[in-house]
Amino acid sequence: MVSIFSRVKDIVKYSMMYACMTHCTFEYIGDFVVCNGPSMEPTLHSKNILLTERITTRFHNPRRGDIIIAISPTDPKQYICKRIVGIPGDRIVLKNNTTDTKTEEDALTAAASKKQKLKELQDEYVPRGCIWIEGDNSENSADSRYYGPIPLGLVKSRVVCRLWPIKEMCML
Amino acid sequence: MAFRKFVKSVLLGIPIGITFLDCVGYVARVDGISMQPALNPDASQTDYVFLSRWAVRTSNVDRGDIVSLISPKDPSQKIIKRIVGLQGDVVSTLGYRHEIVRIPEGHCWVEGDHTGHSLDSNTFGPVAQGLLTARATYIVWPPERWRRLQTELPRRRRPIQIAKSASYYSQ
């Protein structure tokens, strides 16, 4: 009787311990994500398995071109996978559904040369603490062009590499 | 030998502690005057509140709840505010760009109780619900202030129109 009891106690103890360690790893170091949906094609396809890391996102130091996982601003239960196109201070110019990002220096020269043109276009700065994200498949992606810049606090992790399918395993 | 055992139990204890803080909740100090009179009614002493992570795990918050959220302006800062409106509600604003705002899908409207001395949705607009981190449930310190924090909204700050159901947009 006593041995059964102590055995159950052991099992509970060890499963608790491992559950907690797994939680910490997935929450603070990195985790695996299964992609779903067409918005990141041709870079990522549905059912790709990605390895993501959560260490650099803690410093809130976004870089243009990184692929990130964030909580969807329109539905807090859903996650989205997009590419960072603009960081705070960048100027976003929307032109027939395609986006040009301009760093602050570029913006000045470009603005001077295309002053007339830009007036007709939608054109805004990415505010402090926010980023502009877009899917690679610009025709089929709900992203910042639809809901505007998203706060950096929603960014959960950065995609490091694709693990599955094995043939297409690569760094991203 | 005893030392080794101690180190081992510390190493095993840390993940358990972190998981507990992440899933159940933690105690945090409230800075500033933006939530007067509910929190920090007297500037000389600061309140400590219990922030329940468990309460927001399914993001089912209610109007009038006091929540902590990541500031939309500065992601390294956390702010504590009261929820005034949820998605689909129409709220009257106090000095925002538009006088009346319909809160977009997945967002909420947060305000400090101390109107005029609070950096809240009247400055930065509706915030994404994904930024909510926890709900403040109790004041735990100082002991004479120990109490449960009520879910209440001043009558004058109720939304003009309340969305018919929580799933206003997902129909």
Short mmCIF file of all heavy atoms in Angstrom, two decimals, chain B residues 63 86-89 162-171:
data_model
loop_
_atom_site.label_atom_id
_atom_site.label_comp_id
_atom_site.label_asym_id
_atom_site.label_seq_id
_atom_site.Cartn_x
_atom_site.Cartn_y
_atom_site.Cartn_z
N ARG B 63 -16.02 44.38 -18.84
CA ARG B 63 -15.97 45.84 -18.63
C ARG B 63 -15.90 46.11 -17.14
O ARG B 63 -16.67 45.54 -16.38
CB ARG B 63 -17.21 46.49 -19.23
CG ARG B 63 -17.28 46.33 -20.72
CD ARG B 63 -18.61 46.78 -21.27
NE ARG B 63 -18.79 46.24 -22.62
CZ ARG B 63 -19.32 45.07 -22.87
NH1 ARG B 63 -19.77 44.30 -21.88
NH2 ARG B 63 -19.42 44.63 -24.11
N LEU B 86 -15.31 46.85 -24.66
CA LEU B 86 -14.76 45.70 -25.37
C LEU B 86 -15.07 45.84 -26.85
O LEU B 86 -15.73 46.79 -27.28
CB LEU B 86 -15.34 44.41 -24.81
CG LEU B 86 -14.97 44.13 -23.35
CD1 LEU B 86 -15.76 42.94 -22.85
CD2 LEU B 86 -13.49 43.87 -23.22
N GLN B 87 -14.64 44.86 -27.64
CA GLN B 87 -14.83 44.95 -29.09
C GLN B 87 -16.30 45.13 -29.45
O GLN B 87 -17.16 44.49 -28.88
CB GLN B 87 -14.25 43.72 -29.78
CG GLN B 87 -14.84 42.42 -29.29
CD GLN B 87 -14.30 41.25 -30.08
OE1 GLN B 87 -13.46 41.40 -30.95
NE2 GLN B 87 -14.79 40.06 -29.79
N GLY B 88 -16.54 46.04 -30.38
CA GLY B 88 -17.90 46.27 -30.83
C GLY B 88 -18.64 47.34 -30.06
O GLY B 88 -19.65 47.84 -30.54
N ASP B 89 -18.15 47.71 -28.88
CA ASP B 89 -18.81 48.76 -28.11
C ASP B 89 -18.57 50.13 -28.76
O ASP B 89 -17.59 50.32 -29.46
CB ASP B 89 -18.25 48.83 -26.69
CG ASP B 89 -18.64 47.63 -25.85
OD1 ASP B 89 -19.40 46.79 -26.37
OD2 ASP B 89 -18.18 47.52 -24.71
N ILE B 162 -23.47 48.98 -26.06
CA ILE B 162 -22.73 47.78 -25.73
C ILE B 162 -22.99 46.74 -26.81
O ILE B 162 -24.13 46.56 -27.24
CB ILE B 162 -23.15 47.28 -24.33
CG1 ILE B 162 -22.54 48.22 -23.28
CG2 ILE B 162 -22.71 45.84 -24.09
CD1 ILE B 162 -22.85 47.88 -21.88
N ALA B 163 -21.92 46.10 -27.26
CA ALA B 163 -22.06 45.09 -28.31
C ALA B 163 -23.01 44.00 -27.82
O ALA B 163 -23.00 43.62 -26.65
CB ALA B 163 -20.71 44.51 -28.65
N LYS B 164 -23.83 43.48 -28.74
CA LYS B 164 -24.88 42.55 -28.35
C LYS B 164 -24.32 41.30 -27.70
O LYS B 164 -24.84 40.80 -26.73
CB LYS B 164 -25.72 42.16 -29.57
CG LYS B 164 -26.65 43.28 -29.97
CD LYS B 164 -27.70 42.80 -30.94
CE LYS B 164 -28.52 43.96 -31.45
NZ LYS B 164 -27.80 44.74 -32.47
N SER B 165 -23.23 40.79 -28.25
CA SER B 165 -22.62 39.62 -27.63
C SER B 165 -21.12 39.79 -27.73
O SER B 165 -20.62 40.65 -28.44
CB SER B 165 -23.05 38.35 -28.36
OG SER B 165 -22.54 38.39 -29.66
N ALA B 166 -20.42 38.95 -26.99
CA ALA B 166 -18.97 39.03 -27.01
C ALA B 166 -18.44 38.75 -28.41
O ALA B 166 -17.41 39.26 -28.81
CB ALA B 166 -18.38 38.05 -26.00
N SER B 167 -19.17 37.94 -29.14
CA SER B 167 -18.69 37.54 -30.47
C SER B 167 -19.31 38.42 -31.54
O SER B 167 -19.77 37.95 -32.57
CB SER B 167 -19.02 36.09 -30.72
OG SER B 167 -20.41 35.91 -30.56
N TYR B 168 -19.33 39.71 -31.27
CA TYR B 168 -19.95 40.67 -32.18
C TYR B 168 -19.41 40.53 -33.60
O TYR B 168 -20.16 40.56 -34.56
CB TYR B 168 -19.67 42.07 -31.65
CG TYR B 168 -20.10 43.17 -32.56
CD1 TYR B 168 -21.42 43.60 -32.58
CD2 TYR B 168 -19.19 43.79 -33.40
CE1 TYR B 168 -21.81 44.62 -33.41
CE2 TYR B 168 -19.58 44.81 -34.23
CZ TYR B 168 -20.90 45.23 -34.23
OH TYR B 168 -21.27 46.23 -35.06
N TYR B 169 -18.09 40.38 -33.72
CA TYR B 169 -17.50 40.37 -35.06
C TYR B 169 -17.41 38.98 -35.66
O TYR B 169 -17.22 38.83 -36.84
CB TYR B 169 -16.09 40.97 -35.01
CG TYR B 169 -16.10 42.46 -34.98
CD1 TYR B 169 -15.95 43.14 -33.79
CD2 TYR B 169 -16.27 43.19 -36.14
CE1 TYR B 169 -15.97 44.52 -33.76
CE2 TYR B 169 -16.28 44.56 -36.12
CZ TYR B 169 -16.13 45.22 -34.94
OH TYR B 169 -16.13 46.58 -34.91
N SER B 170 -17.50 37.99 -34.83
CA SER B 170 -17.21 36.64 -35.36
C SER B 170 -18.48 35.93 -35.80
O SER B 170 -18.59 34.73 -35.70
CB SER B 170 -16.47 35.83 -34.30
OG SER B 170 -17.19 35.83 -33.10
N GLN B 171 -19.47 36.69 -36.23
CA GLN B 171 -20.69 36.04 -36.70
C GLN B 171 -20.60 35.75 -38.19
O GLN B 171 -20.00 36.50 -38.91
CB GLN B 171 -21.89 36.93 -36.44
CG GLN B 171 -22.32 36.88 -34.98
CD GLN B 171 -23.15 38.07 -34.61
OE1 GLN B 171 -23.54 38.83 -35.48
NE2 GLN B 171 -23.39 38.25 -33.33
#
